Amino acid sequence: MPTADPAAALPLTLDLEDFKGDFSFDALFGGLVDELLPEYRGEDDAAPAPPPPPPVLGAAPSVFPAVDELLGLFKHSCKELVDLRKQIDKRLQNLKKEVAVQDAKHRKTLGELEKGVDGLFDSFARLDSRISSVGQTAAKIGDHLQSAESQRETASQTIDLIKYLMEFNSTPGDLMELSPLFSDDSRVAEAASIAQKLRSFAEEDVGRHGVTPAVGSANASRGLEVAVANLQDYCNELENRLLARFDAASQRRELSTMAECAKILSQFNRGTSAMQHYVATRPMFIDVDIMNTDIQVVLGDEGLQADSNYIADGLSTLYKEIADTVRKEATTITAVFPSPNEVMAILVQRVLEQRVTTILDRILIKPSLASVPPLEEGGLLQYLRILAVAYDKTKELAKDLQSIGCGDLDIEGLTESIYVAHKDEYTEFEQASLRQLYQSKMAELRAEAKQLTESTGSIGRAKGASLIASPQQLISVTVVTEFVRWNEEAIARCTLLFSQPTTVAANVRSIFACLLDQVSQYLTEGLDRARDGLNDAAAQRDKYVIGSSVSRRVAAAAATAAEAAASAGESSFRSFMIAVQRCASSVAILQQYFSNTISRLLLPVDGAHPSACEDMGSAVSVVEAAAHKGLLLCIDTVMSEVERLLSSEQKATDYRSPDDGAAPDHRPTNACIRIVAYLSRVLEVAFNSLEGLNKQSFLTELGNRLHKGLLTHWQKFTFSPSGGLRLKRDITEYGDFVRSFNAPSIDEKFEQLGIVANVFIVAPESLASLFEGTPSIRKDALRFIQLRDDYKTAKIASMLNNIAA
């Protein structure tokens, strides 16, 4: 008999609700086995677990006794779960069917709603179109209504204007029968506005018909020319009434009444006549006393003889008073006129064109270049200085007026236009002024030189000596500095009067060219006068050259005269060297001025600076040419004295004593001592006056001339061995002196002279070794050998032939 399933009797609590919400398999499983396995609860019991039952004899012990119960429970639970799944599946099928039915109903409903929405949208579109159409119609109706109202108002105004116009067109020249509007002082503004409209309307009508308005025309019915004439008369009369009221209010300083009148008058020609009337009635333009005071402030008691400094102070005072007056007027104008900027423009323009120009015409009297005023009366320089001062002060006034306010007026251009006539001829006047200053200075220097000559001429003529101009009479650095100062002042005026770089550069070049001409002419003439002294000394030397066959008395007189000529030559030499020194200093001042002042004004303009450099180079070249001629004359003067000393002091016995067996004299000859002393004395001024390449070139040329002159001089003598030693001593003395020239080529020539002098000292048989040791002296040595006193007796000529072979 089968046993019943124990698990089937167990109650199960499985329900669909157990699987809803936060389902936990661990909780479900614990609920199922809790009753069967109470000993495996997770709780902490105080009592210990009961011991397992004793094993049955003959049977295997059970490891997990509750397994059968649990197995039955699990099977039963699984069956229940299967039943639950089937229930769920069935319910799901039912739900799907219900969902399908509801979905079909929903789709049907959505389709019907879409059709309804489409219809609604169509209705809205028709409604929007209708609203738009109605709105446009309403707008058109509003526009028509507004236009109609505007036309109604215009028509009403036109009717009124026609009535007023007919009043002006009915009675030619008679304004007494007009409407009260045109005669009521309280309605002046309205009357002015209507009158302007009537005049514009009437003038347009007349213009369309091509009829020229004529005052008092008898054929009034053919047009509105009578109305135009009457309207013009009425406007003129009304404008005069308003101006009279404006003037009366201006006298009482009633700004509100003035402003009211100005506002009404602004309807007449945009108020131009009122603005001009106000400006024209200012006291500064109509009061003769104010104008006379302006002249007195600027010129004072001096009148036209006032200098530029006095005029500068006077203009500063006057222009300050003018600026203060305009500033006060600006306050009134701002409070009265509807367009104050336009009034200020008219006022400032009137100030510059009338009040400022009036005073400038009195002080800027342009002199004639054909008949230049003398420098004692100020000359052209006074006009130029006053021009610069007036221009500078007027520019300052223009800036002050600009800061106060002058509307759209081009005040800078207006200021320039005042001076345009003076600026156009400025360069010619500046150049003429510089020439006048130069000519005056030259006349002053000539007068001083003449006075000095007259004071010393009698003494010079008594002594029979020619007068040598002093260095101060020749060239003065102070005078050149004065030239530069004149030019610097002129350049300052030029940069003040002109601002465009091109114009400034052109004028600066012209002004600087005057300085170049002045400096070049002054220095060249000074060098020429100094060179005249050298020429006079040379002529004096040539005058006393005599032959050899004269008496002792004549020879002594000639020697005395020659010494006097030599003294004059030395003085002329010193004067010329000082002139050259001052000339170099003057050129340095000119170059420094060009570098510091002129260059910065010419560099901004292409080609201006190089051209000016060429001009300056040309001017300096002229001066250098004059200096070069004089320096050559200086060398001639020195060499002439050297030749005179050699001729007078050099004795034949200096190089060939009668008793050659005597002890040799190791001192230089007297001629050598005199020449070296003379050169040391006269060249001291050259060392101090010349610099750089000029000094080197001069001393090199002098050294060459001295070397050549000594060679020519020594070829006049014959030399004994002791004479050769003395010659060598002279050459050493000359060589030591020329070493101060710092000219290596000259030092080398005198060293070779010392070697050449050995041909007089060595024995004839040793000449061959001398040539072999220094072949460079062959040419000079061959000439000097012939001057040996034993040249013939020792048969040196044949020896030279052998040497040459």
Side-chain angles (χ1 to χ4, degrees):
M1 185 173 178
T3 59
D5 188 359
L10 294 173
L12 293 177
T13 59
L14 296 179
D15 193 3
L16 291 178
E17 298 298 328
D18 296 336
F19 297 93
K20 293 181 179 179
D22 295 335
F23 173 74
S24 174
F25 178 77
D26 293 339
L28 178 64
F29 183 76
L32 292 176
V33 301
D34 188 36
E35 296 180 359
L36 297 177
L37 301 173
E39 66 275 12
Y40 291 102
R41 291 177 182 176
E43 301 174 0
D44 295 335
D45 299 331
V56 182
L57 294 176
S62 178
V63 179
F64 192 57
V67 67
D68 294 332
E69 295 179 3
L70 289 173
L71 183 60
L73 178 63
F74 290 159
K75 289 181 178 179
H76 187 65
S77 299
C78 182
K79 181 179 178 182
E80 291 292 331
L81 288 172
V82 171
D83 292 339
L84 287 174
R85 185 182 70 178
K86 290 180 179 178
Q87 294 176 13
I88 292 172
D89 289 342
K90 185 177 180 180
R91 291 175 64 180
L92 284 175
Q93 290 297 327
N94 294 333
L95 287 173
K96 286 183 178 179
K97 291 179 181 179
E98 293 178 1
V99 167
V101 173
Q102 294 294 331
D103 183 63
K105 293 180 179 179
H106 179 67
R107 289 180 181 273
K108 183 179 179 181
T109 303
L110 285 177
E112 293 175 354
L113 288 174
E114 287 180 355
K115 292 180 180 179
V117 169
D118 291 340
L120 185 62
F121 280 155
D122 292 340
S123 298
F124 277 134
R126 290 193 297 271
L127 179 61
D128 183 66
S129 175
R130 181 62 178 168
I131 291 173
S132 176
S133 176
V134 171
Q136 292 178 358
T137 302
K140 291 180 180 179
I141 293 174
D143 292 341
H144 285 305
L145 291 175
Q146 185 176 4
S147 176
E149 177 64 18
S150 176
Q151 291 177 0
R152 187 191 67 78
E153 292 180 359
T154 303
S156 177
Q157 293 176 2
T158 303
I159 292 173
D160 293 338
L161 290 176
I162 291 174
K163 292 179 179 178
Y164 293 135
L165 186 61
M166 295 307 296
E167 293 181 10
F168 281 98
N169 199 44
S170 60
T171 306
D174 187 5
L175 302 180
M176 300 301 295
E177 298 182 1
L178 298 176
S179 299
L181 167 66
F182 299 103
S183 59
D184 190 352
D185 289 342
S186 63
R187 302 176 65 185
V188 172
E190 182 182 358
S193 176
I194 291 176
Q196 290 298 316
K197 292 179 181 179
L198 291 176
R199 188 168 63 176
S200 299
F201 177 78
E203 288 176 351
E204 290 178 1
D205 182 77
V206 172
R208 282 196 302 269
H209 291 81
V211 179
T212 303
V215 178
S217 175
N219 191 10
S221 60
R222 296 181 58 186
L224 298 176
E225 54 269 20
V226 175
V228 171
N230 289 335
L231 281 169
Q232 184 62 51
D233 292 340
Y234 174 76
C235 290
N236 293 339
E237 188 269 336
L238 181 60
E239 188 173 4
N240 292 332
R241 284 164 51 195
L242 288 170
L243 288 175
R245 184 186 300 180
F246 181 88
D247 290 340
S250 176
Q251 294 292 331
R252 298 189 299 269
R253 297 296 297 171
E254 295 177 356
L255 298 183
S256 58
T257 304
M258 293 173 64
E260 180 184 356
C261 294
K263 184 178 180 180
I264 299 172
L265 285 168
S266 64
Q267 301 181 49
F268 299 93
N269 299 323
R270 298 180 59 191
T272 303
S273 58
M275 299 175 188
Q276 294 176 344
H277 175 77
Y278 174 79
V279 172
T281 56
R282 296 306 88 203
M284 74 172 81
F285 303 128
I286 59 178
D287 193 336
V288 178
D289 292 337
I290 293 179
M291 299 178 186
N292 294 333
T293 303
D294 291 348
I295 302 298
Q296 181 65 26
V297 168
V298 176
L299 295 178
D301 297 333
E302 299 292 333
L304 296 178
Q305 301 301 320
D307 61 10
S308 58
N309 293 329
Y310 189 93
I311 291 177
D313 294 338
L315 285 175
S316 297
T317 303
L318 174 62
Y319 286 168
K320 183 179 183 301
E321 184 270 328
I322 291 176
D324 292 340
T325 302
V326 172
R327 191 174 287 106
K328 293 178 183 178
E329 291 291 346
T331 303
T332 303
I333 289 171
T334 303
V336 169
F337 288 93
S339 301
N341 287 337
E342 297 181 14
V343 185
M344 287 301 298
I346 298 174
L347 175 65
V348 172
Q349 182 175 358
R350 187 72 175 268
V351 166
L352 292 175
E353 290 182 347
Q354 178 175 332
R355 193 170 181 188
V356 172
T357 302
T358 300
I359 188 64
L360 292 179
D361 289 342
R362 290 293 302 273
I363 64 176
L364 289 178
I365 301 176
K366 187 183 297 184
S368 171
L369 292 178
S371 178
V372 178
L375 203 59
E376 293 77 11
E377 298 177 4
L380 297 176
L381 183 60
Q382 181 178 6
Y383 162 73
L384 291 170
R385 285 177 174 174
I386 294 176
L387 172 62
V389 164
Y391 182 81
D392 186 36
K393 297 301 179 183
T394 307
K395 293 284 284 186
E396 292 179 2
L397 173 63
K399 291 180 180 179
D400 289 344
L401 297 178
Q402 183 81 44
S403 64
I404 296 172
C406 57
D408 296 332
L409 178 66
D410 182 12
I411 191 169
E412 183 176 354
L414 182 59
T415 304
E416 292 296 327
S417 66
I418 296 175
Y419 289 90
V420 65
H422 297 278
K423 293 171 70 173
D424 286 345
E425 297 181 281
Y426 161 75
T427 306
E428 290 78 3
F429 276 91
E430 196 70 80
Q431 291 174 330
S433 173
L434 291 173
R435 287 193 295 268
Q436 183 184 30
L437 291 171
Y438 177 78
Q439 293 167 0
S440 175
K441 189 64 179 180
M442 292 301 100
E444 177 186 345
L445 294 176
R446 283 192 293 269
E448 292 178 357
K450 182 179 180 181
Q451 183 178 1
L452 181 61
T453 302
E454 291 175 351
S455 63
T456 59
S458 58
I459 301 175
R461 285 191 296 271
K463 294 183 177 181
S466 63
L467 294 175
I468 306 298
S470 65
Q472 289 77 10
Q473 294 177 264
L474 301 176
I475 293 175
S476 172
V477 178
T478 304
V479 173
V480 175
T481 304
E482 191 171 2
F483 295 164
V484 173
R485 181 176 56 78
W486 297 340
N487 202 264
E488 193 171 14
E489 180 183 344
I491 294 296
R493 280 193 293 270
C494 175
T495 54
L496 172 67
L497 293 172
F498 302 95
S499 58
Q500 292 295 330
T502 305
T503 307
V504 170
N507 288 327
V508 166
R509 276 198 62 191
S510 300
I511 296 171
F512 183 66
C514 291
L515 177 62
L516 293 178
D517 293 340
Q518 291 173 356
V519 173
S520 175
Q521 183 177 351
Y522 174 70
L523 296 180
T524 302
E525 290 179 356
L527 292 173
D528 289 344
R529 287 193 297 272
R531 195 167 65 247
D532 290 341
L534 294 171
N535 288 327
D536 291 343
Q540 191 173 352
R541 287 194 305 270
D542 296 339
K543 182 178 180 181
Y544 294 102
V545 174
I546 59 175
S548 56
S549 56
V550 294
S551 63
R552 286 186 181 180
R553 185 175 179 180
V554 173
T560 301
E563 289 180 359
S567 177
E570 185 173 344
S571 298
S572 300
F573 180 92
R574 291 177 180 276
S575 296
F576 190 84
M577 284 299 171
I578 294 175
V580 170
Q581 181 185 25
R582 293 178 178 177
C583 181
S585 299
S586 300
V587 171
I589 292 173
L590 178 66
Q591 293 172 338
Q592 187 68 27
Y593 170 65
F594 177 80
S595 176
N596 293 342
T597 303
I598 304 300
S599 294
R600 63 180 178 82
L601 299 173
L602 300 181
L603 285 173
V605 179
D606 293 339
H609 186 267
S611 299
C613 290
E614 292 179 4
D615 295 341
M616 187 169 64
S618 300
V620 173
S621 296
V622 173
V623 179
E624 289 177 344
H628 183 259
K629 292 179 182 179
L631 291 175
L632 293 178
L633 282 178
C634 286
I635 293 175
D636 292 340
T637 299
V638 171
M639 289 308 302
S640 296
E641 179 60 15
V642 168
E643 292 172 359
R644 188 188 72 82
L645 291 175
L646 287 174
S647 176
S648 62
E649 300 296 333
Q650 196 80 72
K651 308 300 181 185
T653 56
D654 289 342
Y655 302 119
R656 186 184 179 197
S657 59
D659 186 6
D660 200 41
D665 189 353
H666 298 289
R667 296 174 302 172
T669 62
N670 189 49
C672 177
I673 294 172
R674 290 283 303 275
I675 290 172
V676 171
Y678 166 74
L679 292 175
S680 300
R681 182 178 68 253
V682 77
L683 292 182
E684 180 180 2
V685 67
F687 284 120
N688 295 329
S689 301
L690 300 178
E691 295 179 353
L693 295 176
N694 293 332
K695 182 177 181 180
Q696 183 179 2
S697 176
F698 174 79
L699 294 177
T700 300
E701 178 65 21
L702 179 60
N704 287 326
R705 292 280 299 274
L706 179 63
H707 174 267
K708 183 178 180 180
L710 290 174
L711 283 177
T712 303
H713 168 70
W714 286 327
Q715 289 178 4
K716 301 176 183 177
F717 299 90
T718 57
F719 298 87
S720 64
S722 60
L725 289 174
R726 201 162 191 197
L727 174 64
K728 194 173 180 67
R729 182 66 184 86
D730 284 355
I731 293 173
T732 301
E733 190 73 13
Y734 288 127
D736 290 342
F737 174 73
V738 299
R739 198 168 290 114
S740 61
F741 291 4
N742 290 324
S745 61
I746 305 302
D747 294 340
E748 182 180 356
K749 287 186 176 182
F750 276 89
E751 288 174 0
Q752 289 185 356
L753 274 180
I755 299 173
V756 170
N758 290 331
V759 300
F760 300 122
I761 301 172
V762 301
E765 59 272 12
S766 300
L767 290 174
S769 60
L770 180 62
F771 282 105
E772 293 174 0
T774 52
S776 60
I777 67 169
R778 177 183 297 271
K779 181 178 179 181
D780 291 333
L782 290 176
R783 287 189 300 169
F784 271 79
I785 288 176
Q786 300 178 21
L787 302 178
R788 288 175 62 113
D789 57 357
D790 59 349
Y791 180 75
K792 293 182 179 180
T793 58
K795 299 181 179 180
I796 295 177
S798 59
M799 294 175 60
L800 292 178
N801 292 333
N802 294 333
I803 293 173

